[in-house]
Amino acid sequence: MTSLWPNDVNNSFTFPPAVGPRSTLADPDPDGVLRWLSGAAEDRSLVGGKAASLAQLAALGAPVPPAFALTTGAYAAFAASIGLPRRDADLVTDALPQLRAGIMDGPLPASVAEAIARGFEAFAGDPGSTASLAVRSSGTSEDSAASSFAGLHDTVLDVRTLDALERAIRRCWASLWSDRAVAYRRERDMADETSEIAVVVQQLVRSDVSFIAFTTDPVTHARDRVVIDATWGLGESIVSGLIVPDHVTVGPDGEVLDYAVGDKHLMVIPGDGPAFASLGTREVPVPRSLRTQPAMSHEQARDIALLARNLSRQLGYEADLEGGIAVGRIHLFQARPITTLGTRSDTR
Amino acid sequence: MVDSTLARPASHFEDWNRDIAAGATYTYDPMHFPYPLTPLTASTLGPCFAKGATAAFHELHVPIAGIDVIHRNHHRFECWAPVMPANDDEARAVGEAAEQTMKAEIGRMMERWHGEHLPRISTLNQRLREMNVGSANPAELLKLLDEVNAIHTELWTIHFRVAGPMLLSMQLFDETYADLFGGTDADAHALLVGGLSESVKAAFGLSELAALAIELDLRDLFLETTPGDLAGRLENVTAGQAFLAGLHDYLEAYGLRQDLFEFATPTWREDSTIALANVRSYIQTGHNARAEQAERARSAELALADARDRLASYPEAVRGQFEAMVQFGRQGAFLQEEHNFYIDQRAMALIRLFYLRVGQRFVDAGLIHTPNDIFLLSHEDIERIVGRRFQVPAASVQELVDDRRHSLAAAGELVPPPFVGEPPAGPPPSDNPMQRAMVRFFGGPPTAQDEDSQTLTGNGGSRGIATGIARVARTLDEAKDLQPGEVLVAVTTMPAWTPLFGVAAAVVTETGGPLSHCAIVAREYGLPAVVGAHGATQRIQTGQTVTVDGSTGIVTLRA
C-alpha cells in the first residue's frame, strides 16, 4: 500500500517485544495486563474504546504517538486483590470516598506493577521521546456518552516519573467510581453490570500547535471541504472554548479557501501550576504579537486536510480528528465519527 | 551706528504664541532642551533636525507628515505633525505600512548600522574635521557653511533611521517579556544589560585614568583638590604632567562630547574639568568600570538562562519569538548608546569645533572678541557678514552680540510653557507599539504634584530604594561636585552624564519614562531611579535628605 500520509515520517519509537515477568516470545503477555497499540486490532472489551480506536489508527499507519493500554484485566486483578465491588449493586452507600482512597493506596498485584514499570521504561529509554506521558481512561461502554461522564480526573498529562505514572493510572481507575459516574450508571439502570475500565498511556506530544479537523463542515454540512480549528499549545483550549481559534477551510484540491485568524490570547501548555482542565497542564497568556498571528501555515493546513480525508476514507465515516504539530511534524491523537450529521436539517 | 540690514534682536520678551500656524501644536521638550539655545544653535540645529528627521520618517513610513522646529524667547518648541488619513481604510494601510517597515528595519538594524550608517557618519565626521576654515576666502567659506548644514541635516536623518527601530525593539521586548512573565520593566531589562558600547568604553577609560592617577601617587592630590583646580595643580607636578598626557590621549578618543545639545558649551577636549571630576569620583569610590560591565553581562546571561528554563514547556513559536525579541532588544539597547556616541556627541562636537574655527575668523576680522561669541550670532547673521567679506562695522556686530547675550541670560529665567499654539489633542486614535515606545521614552504628560505633601511622583525608572543627600544639578558642570552616595537630582541626564551613575546612590530626573536614556543607564548601574518627576529640581534642595523608590516612582523629601 502506498503511503496515505502526507509526511511519511514514522515515529522512531521501538515497540518492546515483550512485557511481564512470565512473557515469552510465544505469549508475550500471559497475564493479559498490557497491550501495546502497535498495529494489530484490539478488542474493545479488553482495552476500552479509546485504545481500540488508537490501535485502529496505528494499524492504518496514521501518525499516532506510541501508546500502550493497561487492560480491563489489569483493573480486574487489582480490584480483586483489594476487594473492590465489581458492580454498583454491590456498593455500600456512601462508601465511594473510601473506595476511591482504597484505589489510590491499595497495593498493586505484582504482574500489574511489573507491566507498568516495563511500559514506563520503554518510553523513558527511547532516545526520541520527551519522556512525558499522557494517561487517559479508556472506557469499555458502547455508550460514548458514558465514557465522557467517567469523571474529572480521567486524564493526567505531563507524567514524567514511574511514581507519577502509577498515581495517574490509579486516578483513572478511581474515576470509574466518581460520584458523577456512579450517578450516571444508576440513572441508566446499569447497576447490575460489571464496572471495569482500561487506561491508555501514551507518549505526550508537546504540541506547538493543536488542531481539530472535520471532514465535513459541521455548520454547513458541506462535504467537499475540510474545516480546521487551530491554536497555540495543547488542544484543551479549543475544546473548552477558552479562546477563538484560527478557522481554516481547505477545498477538495487541497487549496486553502479561507484562513480566519482567531484571537488566541491564552494557551494551555504542559507543566506545573494551577491545573487547567486536565491535571499536568496550565493556562498561560500568549504574547500579544502571536495572538493574531496564524498558528499554521497553508502547507500544514493542506497536509492536515489530506490526512483527514484519507483517514475518513479508510475508516468509512466522516471524521472529527484531534491532533497537534510538534517540531514541524503532524501527530494524530484521536479520530471519532462526526455524530451530528444527519440529525440536523440542511440550512443553506 | 547700527547696520540696519543686520537682524534686529528682540529688545523685549516676545509673545510665546507669536506667529504660530493655525492648528499646529508646538511642544517644549525639557528632556533634550532644558535651557534656552544660542542663536547659532537655534538657527542650525532647528532646521537641520527638522529636515533630517522628516526625511527619515518618510523613508521609514512612520506616519509623521513633518517636523517643524521654532524658537520663542530662545527656547525650542517642536511640532510633530501626524499623517491624517482620510478614512479608516487609509488609516489601516498607513498603520500596516509603518508596522511592516519597522519590523523589517529591526531585523536589519545592526547590519545597517555597521554596513551603512557608521561608515557614513565616520565619513561625514572626518569631513567636518578636515574643513579648512582658516584659509577659505569668503565665497569658499559660504560654501563650507552650506556644506556643514547639509552634513548636519544628513546626520539627523541617519539618527532617526536608527532611533525608530531601536526604540521599538526595546518596547517590543518589554511587551513580550511582560506578556510571558509579568513582572516589572526592571525584570525585563535585567536581560538586556551588560552591552559593550562606545559609551561604556568611555567609562572604562575613566576607570583606567583613575588607576593611572593612583599608580602615579596622585590619589591625595585628587582627593584634596576641587575639580575646577585640578588641571592647574596637575600641571605643576611631574607626575601630574604624566597623568595629563594620559588624559590627553583619552580625550583624543573620547573627548568629543558636550553637556547638552548646545554648540556653545565646550567639549571635554577644550575643558577637561568634567573629565577630571569624573576621574576624581572614580578614585573616591574605587569603581572598576570593566569589572562592573563584565558582572552586568554575566547577570544578564543568567537572567536569560532562567527565562529560557521557564519557557521550556512553551510552544516553539513562543520560544522562537522570545529569542528574537531578546536579540533585538539587546541590539536596540546597544544602538541607543552607540548612535548617541557617534552622532549626538561626536558629530555635534565636531560641528561646534567647525563653528569655533569660523569664530576665529571673526576674531581675526576684529568683529568679535572671542571665538565662542560666534554662537551669539545666527546662521543668517554669519552668512550676511561673510557675504560682505567681513566688511561690516565692528561696533554693530558687538552691539548685536551683547544684546543677544543679555536676552539669552534673561531667557534663562523664564519658564517656557509646555506647548505653544493649539493645545495638544488627547491620545492619538490608534494604539501601536511605536506610540507606546514614545510615551515610555518621553514619560507621558507631567503628573500633577501635590505641593503640600512631602513626596514627588514620577515614573519608576530603575528599581530599588535608596536614601541620601540630594545634589541638585541643572548642568553637568554643577553635577561634577556630586559626592559618592549622594542622590543626583537633575532636569535630564544625557549620555555625557553616564560616568556619574557610578558615583551616585540614586538618580531623580524631571523628564523621561522607563525607556529614556536615564532609566536605561540607571538599570545598567543597578541604581534606583525615578524619572519624569516634574518639578524635582525646584522642590528638592541640595543638602536635603531624600528617599528614592525606583519601583513606585516616588521621591520622599525628608529633613
Side-chain angles (χ1 to χ4, degrees):
Chain A
M1 186 193 291
T2 55
S3 170
L4 297 171
W5 312 116
N7 56 333
D8 191 17
V9 183
N10 286 318
N11 221 303
S12 61
F13 186 81
T14 317
F15 287 94
V19 288
R22 295 203 291 125
S23 64
T24 64
L25 273 174
D27 186 353
D29 185 11
D31 298 314
V33 151
L34 184 150
R35 308 288 300 171
W36 281 99
L37 308 175
S38 60
E42 292 292 338
D43 181 350
R44 189 195 180 95
S45 67
L46 193 66
V47 299
K50 207 165 273 184
S53 170
L54 283 175
Q56 182 187 28
L57 293 174
L60 289 173
V64 174
F68 67 80
L70 207 59
T71 62
T72 49
Y75 174 77
F78 173 66
S81 81
I82 65 167
L84 281 182
R86 299 309 313 282
R87 308 176 304 162
D88 290 4
D90 302 329
L91 268 180
V92 176
T93 348
D94 298 334
L96 285 176
Q98 287 102 294
L99 190 155
R100 292 194 289 266
I103 292 175
M104 295 309 296
D105 300 327
L108 297 174
S111 60
V112 175
E114 169 79 21
I116 294 171
R118 290 283 186 98
F120 178 79
E121 209 181 286
F123 282 120
D126 176 50
S129 87
T130 59
S132 171
L133 305 173
V135 180
R136 299 186 171 92
S137 298
S138 183
T140 57
S141 171
E142 284 300 320
D143 184 345
S144 60
S147 316
S148 71
F149 270 88
L152 211 47
H153 297 297
D154 67 344
T155 300
V156 184
L157 301 186
D158 201 28
V159 171
R160 304 201 206 182
T161 62
L162 180 56
D163 258 357
L165 176 57
E166 228 182 77
R167 257 196 324 275
I169 288 168
R170 290 173 185 270
R171 267 194 213 277
C172 290
W173 286 337
S175 74
L176 188 61
W177 299 101
S178 69
D179 294 344
R180 228 200 295 180
V182 171
Y184 186 88
R185 293 195 291 269
R186 184 173 303 133
E187 261 168 55
R188 279 157 183 67
D189 276 327
M190 290 161 71
D192 284 325
E193 293 178 24
T194 305
S195 287
E196 52 191 7
I197 191 165
V199 179
V200 172
V201 179
Q202 185 173 43
Q203 191 175 67
L204 177 68
V205 171
R206 286 158 171 256
S207 303
D208 294 324
V209 176
S210 294
F211 64 84
I212 300 180
F214 298 84
T215 56
T216 299
D217 188 323
V219 174
T220 67
H221 294 193
R223 291 188 186 221
D224 63 342
R225 56 201 54 192
V226 172
V227 166
I228 306 170
D229 281 349
T231 191
W232 307 114
L234 304 177
E236 258 79 347
S237 56
I238 307 178
V239 171
S240 66
L242 184 68
I243 46 92
V244 177
D246 290 352
H247 189 79
V248 192
T249 309
V250 182
D253 294 328
E255 71 282 20
V256 172
L257 299 174
D258 183 59
Y259 196 120
V261 180
D263 184 7
K264 307 172 286 293
H265 66 294
L266 294 170
M267 58 187 168
V268 176
I269 61 173
D272 295 324
F276 176 85
S278 320
L279 293 175
T281 62
R282 57 194 167 115
E283 176 192 313
V284 293
V286 171
R288 73 196 73 179
S289 53
L290 288 176
R291 281 165 63 160
T292 50
Q293 203 167 288
M296 287 192 305
S297 66
H298 282 205
E299 201 186 312
Q300 287 170 328
R302 280 199 299 272
D303 283 352
I304 291 168
L306 183 60
L307 172 74
R309 265 194 277 270
N310 286 342
L311 193 56
S312 163
R313 233 185 344 264
Q314 292 294 310
L315 292 169
Y317 55 74
E318 295 301 308
D320 153 7
L321 271 61
E322 283 179 35
I325 304 173
V327 200
R329 285 165 47 175
I330 297 172
H331 300 263
L332 186 66
F333 305 139
Q334 185 169 245
R336 290 180 292 205
I338 301 176
T339 51
T340 53
L341 297 176
T343 59
R344 208 197 269 248
S345 54
D346 282 331
T347 48
R348 255 174 273 194
Chain B
M1 289 295 291
V2 177
D3 185 327
S4 62
T5 58
L6 287 172
R8 299 299 302 256
S11 55
H12 54 84
F13 295 127
E14 54 184 344
D15 172 17
W16 292 105
N17 284 286
R18 167 184 73 80
D19 282 348
I20 308 286
T25 305
Y26 286 79
T27 49
Y28 176 57
D29 174 13
M31 185 157 81
H32 293 99
F33 301 100
Y35 305 111
L37 297 173
T38 58
L40 183 48
T41 301
S43 58
T44 53
L45 181 55
C48 294
F49 176 95
K51 206 163 152 210
T54 300
F57 289 146
H58 285 175
E59 231 178 72
L60 296 181
H61 304 128
V62 173
I64 301 281
I67 294 185
D68 191 25
V69 176
I70 58 170
H71 300 84
R72 294 290 179 269
N73 295 310
H74 299 285
H75 284 279
R76 173 182 163 119
F77 294 82
E78 289 179 18
C79 173
W80 289 46
V83 158
M84 300 299 259
N87 52 54
D88 279 349
D89 282 340
E90 210 179 282
R92 198 173 19 250
V94 163
E96 268 163 25
E99 190 176 328
Q100 292 313 316
T101 308
M102 255 324 150
K103 289 199 168 142
E105 285 300 314
I106 287 174
R108 60 178 193 146
M109 61 187 174
M110 285 301 271
E111 192 195 303
R112 285 198 82 182
W113 172 257
H114 288 296
E116 268 178 71
H117 303 321
L118 187 53
R120 183 63 184 160
I121 295 164
S122 303
T123 302
L124 295 174
N125 283 352
Q126 189 53 24
R127 179 71 191 123
L128 287 168
R129 279 187 186 94
E130 284 168 358
M131 281 183 167
N132 198 334
V133 174
S135 59
N137 65 44
E140 285 161 352
L141 192 48
L142 283 177
K143 283 217 187 84
L144 288 180
L145 286 164
D146 273 348
E147 196 187 336
V148 168
N149 271 343
I151 290 175
H152 192 171
T153 302
E154 192 184 337
L155 286 164
W156 285 112
T157 302
I158 299 173
H159 178 279
F160 281 99
R161 282 186 186 128
V162 179
M166 152 204 112
L167 205 60
L168 187 60
S169 68
M170 290 191 287
Q171 177 67 22
L172 292 176
F173 169 72
D174 282 353
E175 289 179 354
T176 302
Y177 190 96
D179 286 345
L180 289 170
F181 302 117
T184 64
D185 289 336
D187 298 318
H189 272 260
L191 277 68
L192 301 187
V193 299
L196 200 54
S197 63
E198 283 303 314
S199 297
V200 171
K201 290 180 194 167
F204 289 175
L206 291 170
S207 243
E208 277 150 26
L209 284 172
L212 175 64
I214 291 171
E215 206 185 289
L216 291 168
D217 225 4
L218 293 165
R219 185 178 220 283
D220 291 340
L221 186 154
F222 263 90
L223 296 180
E224 287 160 5
T225 315
T226 61
D229 297 333
L230 268 171
R233 280 203 71 189
L234 286 165
E235 252 155 43
N236 289 335
V237 292
T238 322
Q241 283 158 20
F243 175 86
L244 288 172
L247 178 65
H248 176 83
D249 289 343
Y250 174 79
L251 292 174
E252 278 299 294
Y254 294 108
L256 285 172
R257 55 196 300 185
Q258 303 162 274
D259 186 350
L260 297 168
F261 290 110
E262 169 51 76
F263 290 133
T265 57
T267 63
W268 282 24
R269 273 196 198 171
E270 301 164 80
D271 179 354
S272 58
T273 309
I274 292 170
L276 286 168
N278 280 316
V279 173
R280 186 173 182 279
S281 302
Y282 275 57
I283 293 172
Q284 262 180 316
T285 58
H287 271 294
N288 181 336
R290 253 186 227 277
E292 281 160 24
Q293 183 270 333
E295 176 53 37
R296 287 196 295 270
R298 207 185 65 89
S299 79
E301 287 310 309
L302 284 176
L304 177 55
D306 182 66
R308 283 175 174 151
D309 271 344
R310 290 167 71 181
L311 292 178
S313 306
Y314 280 66
E316 196 273 319
V318 175
R319 283 182 283 113
Q321 180 85 329
F322 178 76
E323 290 296 326
M325 292 297 108
V326 171
Q327 180 187 269
F328 293 135
R330 284 179 169 180
Q331 289 174 358
F334 170 81
L335 285 175
Q336 179 165 57
E337 294 291 296
E338 201 78 339
H339 89 278
N340 191 288
F341 179 87
Y342 284 103
I343 303 177
D344 307 54
Q345 292 179 42
R346 179 172 287 187
M348 294 300 120
L350 288 170
I351 290 175
R352 160 182 168 77
L353 296 179
F354 167 81
Y355 287 131
L356 268 187
R357 300 204 289 283
V358 173
Q360 185 58 53
R361 291 291 299 266
F362 275 59
V363 167
D364 295 341
L367 297 177
I368 58 178
H369 293 315
T370 170
N372 222 68
D373 279 354
I374 194 74
F375 296 102
L376 293 167
L377 297 173
S378 71
H379 199 267
E380 291 72 30
D381 295 335
I382 294 170
E383 280 178 311
R384 246 176 253 133
I385 293 169
V386 171
R388 301 260 190 82
R389 311 166 97 61
F390 299 97
Q391 304 302 311
V392 295
S396 63
V397 178
Q398 265 313 298
E399 199 177 313
L400 189 56
V401 163
D402 288 339
D403 211 271
R404 294 269 175 75
R405 205 192 311 274
H406 288 129
S407 106
L408 197 58
E413 304 296 314
L414 298 175
V415 178
F419 66 89
V420 295
E422 194 71 23
S430 69
D431 178 38
N432 62 60
M434 192 65 223
Q435 236 132 31
R436 295 194 288 272
M438 298 282 284
V439 171
R440 290 175 75 238
F441 180 73
F442 285 101
T447 39
Q449 303 290 358
D450 180 358
E451 295 291 327
D452 294 329
S453 85
Q454 286 302 99
T455 62
L456 206 63
T457 307
N459 301 304
S462 173
R463 68 181 160 189
I465 302 182
T467 300
I469 297 181
R471 167 86 47 183
V472 179
R474 314 201 81 225
T475 65
L476 195 49
D477 201 55
E478 285 172 38
K480 70 180 190 296
D481 298 323
L482 183 75
Q483 298 302 306
E486 286 185 344
V487 173
L488 176 62
V489 180
V491 172
T492 180
T493 66
M494 296 305 285
W497 296 57
T498 299
L500 294 169
F501 284 60
V503 175
V507 183
V508 178
T509 62
E510 292 200 7
T511 61
L515 277 185
S516 66
H517 180 265
C518 174
I520 288 177
V521 177
R523 285 195 288 265
E524 276 278 342
Y525 282 82
L527 280 191
V530 170
V531 295
H534 190 59
T537 61
Q538 268 104 37
R539 297 257 330 262
I540 302 173
Q541 311 297 317
T542 296
Q544 193 175 10
T545 303
V546 295
T547 298
V548 178
D549 186 336
S551 308
T552 59
I554 296 179
V555 181
T556 309
L557 284 55
R558 303 193 180 282

